Amino acid sequence: MSAALKYTLGRIGLFVAVLAGLWLVDMNVFLKLMLALVFSAALSFFLLRGWRDEMAGEIAEAAERRRTEKERLRSALAGEDQTPTPNPNPDPQTPDSQR
C-alpha cells in the first residue's frame, strides 16, 4: 500500500474517531464537524508523523525520477546523447558509384 494512501486513510480515520467522540456531546452538528476537523488535524500532526514522512519521501523520489527522465528526454531530443555514426564514405570527394 502506498504511503500516500495510508496517510490519507489515517487522516480520515482520525477524523471519524474524533467526530464519533464528539457525537455524544450535545451541540450543533456544524460545530461538531468543525471541532472534529481541527482536533483531528492537530492529532494527525503528532500521531501520523511517520506516515507523513514516508509519504514525503516517496513524493521526493518520484519527483527526482521525473526530473531525471525529463533531462534524459531533453538531451535525446537535442541529440546530445547520440554517439556519432561512422561515415560510410571516408573520402567525401569520391562518390560511392565510382568505387
Side-chain angles (χ1 to χ4, degrees):
M1 179 184 293
S2 75
L5 184 60
K6 282 193 307 189
Y7 181 72
T8 302
L9 291 176
R11 288 287 306 258
I12 292 170
L14 200 54
F15 173 76
V16 169
V18 171
L19 184 61
L22 287 174
W23 207 257
L24 303 173
V25 179
D26 186 30
M27 67 174 72
N28 186 357
V29 174
F30 183 72
L31 184 58
K32 287 179 190 178
L33 290 171
M34 290 291 101
L35 286 174
L37 184 66
V38 170
F39 287 144
S40 68
L43 286 173
S44 72
F45 182 74
F46 299 106
L47 298 177
L48 303 179
R49 177 176 292 157
W51 288 351
R52 185 176 57 247
D53 292 343
E54 185 181 341
M55 180 181 67
E58 283 185 5
I59 291 172
E61 288 173 6
E64 179 64 27
R65 280 194 311 272
R66 283 192 304 272
R67 187 186 60 76
T68 303
E69 181 65 15
K70 186 177 178 181
E71 287 176 6
R72 187 190 67 76
L73 288 173
R74 280 191 177 165
S75 66
L77 287 173
E80 296 170 358
D81 68 341
Q82 295 177 357
T83 58
T85 57
N87 188 357
N89 188 3
D91 187 11
Q93 296 176 358
T94 309
D96 286 338
S97 61
Q98 293 180 354
R99 288 189 179 170

